[in-house]
Amino acid sequence: MSRKAAKWIFTTSFAWLMLGSIALSQPGAHLPKEEALEKGREITTDFSNEFISTLTMSLGSGDYLKAIEGCAGSSQNLLRAFNDRTGYYIRRVSLRYRNLANNPDSYEKERLMAFDRLGKEGKITDGYEDYKITFEEGTRYMRYLKPLIIKEMCLKCHGSKDDVPEGIQQFLRQAYPHDKAVDYKVGEVRGAVSVKIPLTFE
């Protein structure tokens, strides 16, 4: 091989390597499966922490009506912010959704049904995670879901009629006439944070 040809191969290979490194650092970039799994964990953890922080601040005032209004708006705003920041698909989904925007797709519905079954068997804890590689429309994806588990503070908005104050019930009837997200008990699976990340071909 001539020195000129070797130089061309080296230069071209280096350029592709650099482009690949740059691509991986960009929002929405295709990732190797192990990196995609870690990114899914990172996104769900960061989102959950920010959401809980926002909700706790609202609940700290003791005004649960204000808290539920904030919960509805803050969660969707946070989701949009995380979508914009990461470039990846991220949603809160539930079989018993309150907001139609949280209606799961077919894959999410399948996994949520499994969560519901496992939850009743006592097998869903705060550390539980679910992930699988899927193939959709010519692209491989890491589908990552982190269950959302009902806590005591959730019952003021998602519990039984005895748990939810009348003012909140009235607000929910007006804002969400088809609301399904009620009658939960502590420890039950409320839904999940769902992340979908495109994968590189390995």
Side-chain angles (χ1 to χ4, degrees):
M1 181 185 298
S2 69
R3 185 174 298 177
K4 184 176 181 180
K7 183 178 180 181
W8 182 87
I9 292 173
F10 173 79
T11 303
T12 303
S13 299
F14 181 75
W16 278 109
L17 178 63
M18 291 302 295
L19 285 171
S21 299
I22 292 170
L24 290 179
S25 67
Q26 297 300 312
H30 288 57
L31 299 177
K33 59 184 179 182
E34 293 302 325
E35 289 186 33
L37 177 56
E38 288 305 314
K39 179 61 71 173
R41 289 171 175 154
E42 176 189 319
I43 290 173
T44 54
T45 298
D46 289 349
F47 171 80
S48 297
N49 287 342
E50 287 195 36
F51 177 70
I52 291 172
S53 176
T54 301
L55 185 58
T56 301
M57 287 178 62
S58 297
L59 290 173
S61 67
D63 187 342
Y64 286 96
L65 183 56
K66 181 179 179 181
I68 191 173
E69 291 172 338
C71 175
S74 297
S75 64
Q76 296 305 318
N77 289 337
L78 271 177
L79 287 171
R80 283 191 289 271
F82 270 77
N83 274 301
D84 292 341
R85 186 188 313 170
T86 67
Y88 296 120
Y89 167 108
I90 172 171
R91 300 175 65 209
R92 282 203 315 161
V93 293
S94 177
L95 294 174
R96 293 157 60 184
Y97 51 85
R98 172 161 287 165
N99 189 325
L100 286 173
N102 298 334
N103 188 11
D105 65 20
S106 58
Y107 177 80
E108 291 162 339
K109 184 175 182 179
E110 173 194 319
R111 301 316 306 148
L112 288 170
M113 290 174 70
F115 291 172
D116 190 52
R117 183 178 68 255
L118 291 170
K120 290 175 180 176
E121 296 172 1
K123 296 179 180 178
I124 297 286
T125 63
D126 286 331
Y128 191 91
E129 61 180 1
D130 183 272
Y131 54 89
K132 182 180 179 180
I133 295 174
T134 63
F135 191 78
E136 305 171 34
E137 299 181 351
T139 300
R140 293 165 69 242
Y141 290 96
M142 174 65 72
R143 300 297 302 259
Y144 182 92
L145 283 87
K146 182 76 173 177
L148 298 169
I149 301 173
I150 290 289
K151 308 295 184 184
E152 187 70 35
M153 70 176 184
C154 305
L155 297 181
K156 289 297 183 181
C157 301
H158 295 288
S160 67
K161 286 186 176 181
D162 293 333
D163 297 316
V164 182
E166 178 56 37
I168 291 179
Q169 290 187 42
Q170 184 177 351
F171 170 80
L172 292 174
R173 284 193 294 269
Q174 294 175 350
Y176 304 102
H178 304 293
D179 183 21
K180 302 178 182 180
V182 292
D183 293 324
Y184 281 100
K185 296 178 178 63
V186 172
E188 290 187 325
V189 177
R190 164 77 179 91
V193 180
S194 176
V195 180
K196 179 177 174 180
I197 298 175
L199 300 177
T200 55
F201 282 94
E202 302 173 359

